[in-house]
């Protein structure tokens, strides 16, 4: 057997096995290099001995003879003596072992370097995340995360991510529903965000969604802080933390490496190791909704190397598409309004933050007031106010409410009822705190507020949340203790030096000051109450909804009186003009059946019951569908319905996530309703049972009931059939896309024998076989032709009413909801079907789509509308 060749790199100090054609045995090689080996193997002799014993090159006796020599050099000598005595075979084995342990030693050295780097990185991240910053934190004031953090409820799933709903309060009902739910497996803890669950593989990319102020950033702060202190996410060796608010500062091509080093220069020497072990890396991207390029993410340019330079949007896109650092895990946060811009197929796990539970709210109060006595009293005070208590499910509001009540202790003031009341009270508290004798040359507080409002208004219309020193100068904003209560300043490292960037401490604070600017400015430009201007700024986005609510509340008499103590307010002119606009808008939306929820919120903010006398709609059709309703939304709806501006002709609750509790809450108003739409909600037997109670009631006036796509089955349909047997009011019943089969649907065939009022029942898209359709058709003849629609046919009379309703629903939907609605219609009903008689309906629908395409400002939604329009052209 020939001697193995030992490379110099494998065992430093050993010569090559073959020199100049001379073959050298392993034993000769070890003898020639004995001195060098004694010098060079000492630092890894223990590793060599352990390996030699493990693979049985050394016996236990030999191992002990070498191991217990004092000092590493003596151990090497003892080992070489044993090898020399045992001959060539053992020498060959040890030459091979030296090579392996050389690599192991190098890896251990790298590992030690990694350990030092990781320790340094954790220290940096721990320091950066240990303190919570509140809206009015003063210089020198520190509130440690461990002292104030209160748990948040996270729910796995992507409920209603297809809808763009409002950013602030679309959490309450879902929050309460989850509290009462008997499905605890839906809940997920922060430490489980990247764990394998329900026998599915562990996710690589997790999206955490939640409304403004719900605690997304604080949750990430807590995760990073705990990881840095070895309390969670131990499966990740490194975490890289980014904020889109900071990334917005990048305005030229860069590389991912440079993005990391902007705030993590301590990683410069070890970043290659971090990138190479991407499967042990977690990348946090916070605040996608604030990303100025979020709507431009869908590109086809990919960055595949961390050192490759490219546009920021392409780097983010490549990370999400796993083209860059494929093995890395990503934790992404966003408000719901921006979720539609994220490539949905890249997300492995959707998680929603639903805010505080009742217990969490109480814990927050106890921590804030630092004691059971005061904190408990304040909690009970807020719990007694439904609106305030609901607002407290959002942590940001919870803090503001605590802050306001702390200042109001001992003062006799009316309980705040609305969002504007809370913010106005909050502003008043801060203004009282900063009020003092005016110094010579100092700017009055009113001017400071006007300038701050001008900045907020301008940047809101530009959809900007981040601005620079020159933006402050353009609006004459001077930094002082009052301004610093509302603005955050962040220092960032730029190539030409450190630069400051600014933002309002919370987006709702910016919206509040924008509304304040509109009130204080005699002629705001552009004038958002101008109809044409409103269309330009609000279409397909709704991002001015909260601004409009604040505007209404600030123009109310009570908040005008409160704020006029600190600034000059033009009470009469703008208030009257605004109320005229608001009443006209509500009247028009009631008559047209257009989506009215935000206008009702604006009316609620006024808290002026006398305004009902100025609303005289010809019909009262209330459409609040396509919004996941919260307890505040229900409060607002009931406030409006209690005004008794006329008989309730129609109430549209489509896709609002209503359940039996919500229907029972609205029961007094449902008794007066003529047409009720409850489709696209998951209604259980209890909810259907409640509707059946109403159908059995002699006082119920309902003429039309819509229950399409509510997932009801045979039991629910049987309950409906039983309730309809003796009903004398209902004329139309629409049930599309149920889970019922012949057993449930056949019950309708007996209804005509006892009910002569019901003229139309639309049952489409159910679990029926061809033979079922034949039996149903035979059962209904001859007296009930057209009474039941169960299958597809070319019968124009059967389908005309249904198509008319579909067109009506399309006109009421916003563009994004329209996309969702039509995709469902065409996928479920019209796929592979051609109805020649529908050509006129298709033309009307295409005309509607063309108008929406022309007005749509969101590229992604516009493309989807075009695709649907092309699909309709092919089928009809």
């Amino acid at each position: 057997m020939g001697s193995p060749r030992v490379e110099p790199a494998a065992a430093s100090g050993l010569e090559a096995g073959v020199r100049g054609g001379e073959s050298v045995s392993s034993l000769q090689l070890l003898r020639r290099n004995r001195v060098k080996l004694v010098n060079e193997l000492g630092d890894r002799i223990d590793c060599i001995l352990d390996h030699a014993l493990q693979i049985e090159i050394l016996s236990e006796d030999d191992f002990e003879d070498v191991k217990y020599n004092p000092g590493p050099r003596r151990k090497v000598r003892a080992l070489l003596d044993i090898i020399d005595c045992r001959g060539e075979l053992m020498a060959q084995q040890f030459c091979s072992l030296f090579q392996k342990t050389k690599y192991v030693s190098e890896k251990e050295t790298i590992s030690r370097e990694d350990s030092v780097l990781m320790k340094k990185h954790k220290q940096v991240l721990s320091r950066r995340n240990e303190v919570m910053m509140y809206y009015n934190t003063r210089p020198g004031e520190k509130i440690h995360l461990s002292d104030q953090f209160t748990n948040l409820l996270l729910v796995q799933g992507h409920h209603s991510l297809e809808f763009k709903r409002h950013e602030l309060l679309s959490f309450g009902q879902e929050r309460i529903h989850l509290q009462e739910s008997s499905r605890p497996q839906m809940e997920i803890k922060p430490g489980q965000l990247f764990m394998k669950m329900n026998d599915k593989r562990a996710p690589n990319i997790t999206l955490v969604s939640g409304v403004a102020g719900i605690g997304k950033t604080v949750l990430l702060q807590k995760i990073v802080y705990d990881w840095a202190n070895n309390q969670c996410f131990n499966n990740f060796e490194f975490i890289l933390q980014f904020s889109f608010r900071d990334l917005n500062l990048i305005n030229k091509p860069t590389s991912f490496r440079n993005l990391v080093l902007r705030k993590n220069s301590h990683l410069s020497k070890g970043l290659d190791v971090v990138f190479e072990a991407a499967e042990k890396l977690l990348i946090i991207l916070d605040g996608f909704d604030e990303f100025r390029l979020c709507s431009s993410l869908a590109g086809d340019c990919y960055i595949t190397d961390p050192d490759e330079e490219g546009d920021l949007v392409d780097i983010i896109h490549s990370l999400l598409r796993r083209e860059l650092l494929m093995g890395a895990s990503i934790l992404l946060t966003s408000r719901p309004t921006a979720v539609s811009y994220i490539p949905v197929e890249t997300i492995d796990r959707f998680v929603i933050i639903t805010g505080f539970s009742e217990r969490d709210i109480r814990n927050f109060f106890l921590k804030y007031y630092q004691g059971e006595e005061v904190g408990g009293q304040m909690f009970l005070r807020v719990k007694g106010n439904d609106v305030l208590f609901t607002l407290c499910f959002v942590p940001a509001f919870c803090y503001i409410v605590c802050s306001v009540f702390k200042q109001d202790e001992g003062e006799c003031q009316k309980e705040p009822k609305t969002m504007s009341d809370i913010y106005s009270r909050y502003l008043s508290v801060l203004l009282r705190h900063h009020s003092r004798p005016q110094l010579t040359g100092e700017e009055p507080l009113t001017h400071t507020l006007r300038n701050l409002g001008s900045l907020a208004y301008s940047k809101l219309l530009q959809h900007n949340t981040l601005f620079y020193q020159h933006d402050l100068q353009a609006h004459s904003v001077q930094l002082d203790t009052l301004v610093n209560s509302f603005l955050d300043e962040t220092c960032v490292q730029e190539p030409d030096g450190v630069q400051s960037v600014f933002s309002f401490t919370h987006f709702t604070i910016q919206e509040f000051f924008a509304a304040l600017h509109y009130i204080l400015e005699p002629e705001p430009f552009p004038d958002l109450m101008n109809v044409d201007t409103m269309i330009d700024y609000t279409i397909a986005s709704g991002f001015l909804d909260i601004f409009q609510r604040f505007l209404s509340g600030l123009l109310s008499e009570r908040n005008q009186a409160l704020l006029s103590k600190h600034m000059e307010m033009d009470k009469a002119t703008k208030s009257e003009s605004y109320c005229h606009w608001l009443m006209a808008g509500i009247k028009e939306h009631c008559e047209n059946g257009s989506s009215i929820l935000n206008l009702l919120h604006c009316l609620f903010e006024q808290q002026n019951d006398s305004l009902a006398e100025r609303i005289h709609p010809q019909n009262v059709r209330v459409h609040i569908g396509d919004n996941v309703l919260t307890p505040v939304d229900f409060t607002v709806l009931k406030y409006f319905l209690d005004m008794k501006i006329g008989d309730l002709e129609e109430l549209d609750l489509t896709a609002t996530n209503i359940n039996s509790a919500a229907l029972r809450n609205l029961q007094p108003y449902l008794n007066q309703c003529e047409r009720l739409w409850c489709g696209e909600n998951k209604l259980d037997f209890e909810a259907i049972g409640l509707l059946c109670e109403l159908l059995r009631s002699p006082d119920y006036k309902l003429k039309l009931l819509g229950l399409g796509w509510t997932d009801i089955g045979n039991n629910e349909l049987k309950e409906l059939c039983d309730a309809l047997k003796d009903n004398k009011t209902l004329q139309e019943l629409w049930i599309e896309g149920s889970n019922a089969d012949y057993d449930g649907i056949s019950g309708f065939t007996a209804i005509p024998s006892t009910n002569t009022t019901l003229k139309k029942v639309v049952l489409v898209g159910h679990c029926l076989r061809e033979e079922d359709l034949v039996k149903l058709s035979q059962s209904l003849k001859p007296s009930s032709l057209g009474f039941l629609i169960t299958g597809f046919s070319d019968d124009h009379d059967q389908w005309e009413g249904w198509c008319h309703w579909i067109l009506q629903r399309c006109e009421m939907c916003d563009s994004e909801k329209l996309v969702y609605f039509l995709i469902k219609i065409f996928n479920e009903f019209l796929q592979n079907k051609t109805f020649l008689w529908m050509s006129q309906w298709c033309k009307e629908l295409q005309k509607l789509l063309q108008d929406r395409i022309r007005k749509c400002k969101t590229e992604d939604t516009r493309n989807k509308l075009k695709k649907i329009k092309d699909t309709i052209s092919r089928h009809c």
Side-chain angles (χ1 to χ4, degrees), residues 593-867:
S594 303
S595 184
I596 199 174
L597 182 59
N598 199 57
L599 288 176
L600 297 188
H601 272 280
C602 293
L603 179 64
F604 181 76
E605 290 287 341
Q606 282 280 314
Q607 289 291 301
N608 184 353
D609 295 348
S610 65
L611 293 176
E613 301 173 0
R614 299 167 59 176
I615 309 174
H616 301 289
Q618 295 179 359
N619 352 38
V620 181
R621 298 170 57 197
V622 180
H623 169 37
I624 57 173
D626 306 327
N627 297 276
V628 177
L629 298 182
T630 72
V632 173
D633 294 326
F634 281 108
T635 299
V636 166
L637 175 62
K638 291 190 290 184
Y639 175 81
F640 174 67
L641 295 177
D642 283 337
M643 287 186 164
K644 307 293 185 185
I645 64 171
D647 293 335
L648 182 58
E649 182 176 314
E650 183 176 67
L651 178 60
D652 191 338
L653 299 172
T654 303
T656 53
N657 202 32
I658 59 168
N659 54 20
S660 56
L663 290 172
R664 194 169 297 281
N665 191 17
L666 294 174
Q667 186 171 354
Y669 311 100
L670 299 181
N671 279 324
Q672 308 303 317
C673 182
E674 293 186 3
R675 296 198 299 273
L676 176 62
W677 299 99
C678 296
E680 300 182 49
N681 294 296
K682 291 187 177 181
L683 300 183
D684 57 13
F685 187 83
E686 184 180 356
I688 296 299
L690 178 62
L691 292 175
C692 289
E693 287 179 26
L694 297 173
L695 288 171
R696 293 185 179 101
S697 170
D699 300 324
Y700 198 33
K701 299 180 179 181
L702 195 67
K703 296 179 181 178
L704 181 149
L705 177 61
L707 295 172
W709 298 288
T710 51
D711 292 337
I712 58 178
N714 289 339
N715 291 335
E716 288 79 11
L717 283 187
K718 289 177 181 179
E719 185 75 7
L720 272 173
C721 288
D722 184 67
L724 287 171
K725 287 179 181 178
D726 299 316
N727 177 271
K728 303 301 181 185
T729 62
L730 196 69
Q731 299 174 8
E732 295 185 39
L733 177 64
W734 297 73
I735 307 178
E736 301 99 326
S738 79
N739 293 322
D741 56 22
Y742 180 81
D743 186 41
I745 293 176
S746 62
F748 283 93
T749 61
I751 291 178
S753 62
T754 59
N755 185 324
T756 58
T757 309
L758 191 60
K759 301 300 182 184
K760 179 186 289 187
V761 176
V762 179
L763 288 162
V764 182
H766 306 287
C767 306
L768 293 171
R769 301 169 298 181
E770 289 295 330
E771 53 266 36
D772 295 333
L773 295 174
V774 173
K775 286 191 291 185
L776 287 169
S777 177
Q778 292 173 347
S779 300
L780 289 168
K781 289 180 179 180
S783 61
S784 302
L785 290 174
F787 172 74
L788 184 67
I789 301 176
T790 54
F792 294 103
S793 70
D794 290 328
D795 190 329
H796 180 231
D797 292 334
Q798 283 189 331
W799 284 97
E800 186 178 26
W802 187 74
C803 289
H804 176 74
W805 176 77
I806 292 295
L807 190 62
Q808 183 185 44
R809 289 290 303 152
C810 290
E811 290 172 347
M812 293 166 62
C813 293
D814 62 29
S815 293
E816 294 190 11
K817 173 62 180 177
L818 180 62
V819 168
Y820 167 78
F821 185 65
L822 286 178
I823 287 176
K824 181 164 58 176
I825 292 293
F826 279 85
N827 282 351
E828 188 162 354
F829 298 135
L830 305 183
Q831 197 171 40
N832 302 319
K833 299 286 181 179
T834 301
F835 302 100
L836 299 178
W837 57 265
M838 293 174 61
S839 59
Q840 182 58 39
W841 175 74
C842 288
K843 288 178 181 178
E844 293 181 43
L845 188 56
Q846 287 177 310
K847 184 179 178 181
L848 170 66
L849 287 170
Q850 187 60 45
D851 182 62
R852 293 295 182 88
I853 291 169
R854 180 176 58 83
K855 294 179 179 179
C856 186
K857 295 186 176 182
T858 306
E859 183 178 358
D860 181 59
T861 303
R862 186 166 58 248
N863 290 336
K864 290 177 181 177
L865 289 170
K866 289 178 181 177
K867 188 173 181 179

Side-chain angles (χ1 to χ4, degrees), residues 332-351:
L332 180 69
T333 71
S334 176
R335 291 187 187 185
T337 49
V339 165
S340 60
Y341 295 123
I342 300 171
V344 65
E345 65 275 13
T346 67
I347 305 301
D348 301 313
R349 176 170 290 165
F350 292 88
V351 174

Side-chain angles (χ1 to χ4, degrees), residues 400-416:
I400 290 177
V401 169
C402 286
S403 178
V404 168
F405 281 0
K406 186 174 183 179
Q407 295 293 332
D408 288 346
E409 286 182 68
E411 298 183 15
C412 295
Q413 296 194 34
K414 289 185 178 181
E415 199 79 10

Side-chain angles (χ1 to χ4, degrees), residues 328-426:
S329 297
I330 296 176
L331 181 54
L332 180 69
T333 71
S334 176
R335 291 187 187 185
T337 49
V339 165
S340 60
Y341 295 123
I342 300 171
V344 65
E345 65 275 13
T346 67
I347 305 301
D348 301 313
R349 176 170 290 165
F350 292 88
V351 174
I352 300 172
I353 303 184
T354 58
F356 283 159
S357 66
E358 180 175 331
R359 179 186 298 177
D360 295 330
I361 296 173
R362 187 176 186 277
N363 288 339
F364 189 93
F365 271 73
L366 296 183
K367 287 183 178 181
Y368 183 89
Y369 289 101
Q370 299 180 348
E372 177 76 33
E373 184 177 355
V374 178
Q377 290 175 357
M378 289 297 182
F379 170 75
L380 292 176
R381 178 181 174 186
V382 172
K383 188 177 179 182
N385 184 314
D386 288 340
V387 175
L388 287 184
F389 191 58
T390 300
L391 291 177
C392 284
F393 283 103
V394 173
F397 272 108
C398 196
Y399 171 76
I400 290 177
V401 169
C402 286
S403 178
V404 168
F405 281 0
K406 186 174 183 179
Q407 295 293 332
D408 288 346
E409 286 182 68
E411 298 183 15
C412 295
Q413 296 194 34
K414 289 185 178 181
E415 199 79 10
K417 294 182 177 180
T418 72
M419 185 171 59
S420 299
D421 291 351
I422 290 292
Y423 277 74
S424 297
R425 192 80 63 84
Y426 182 53

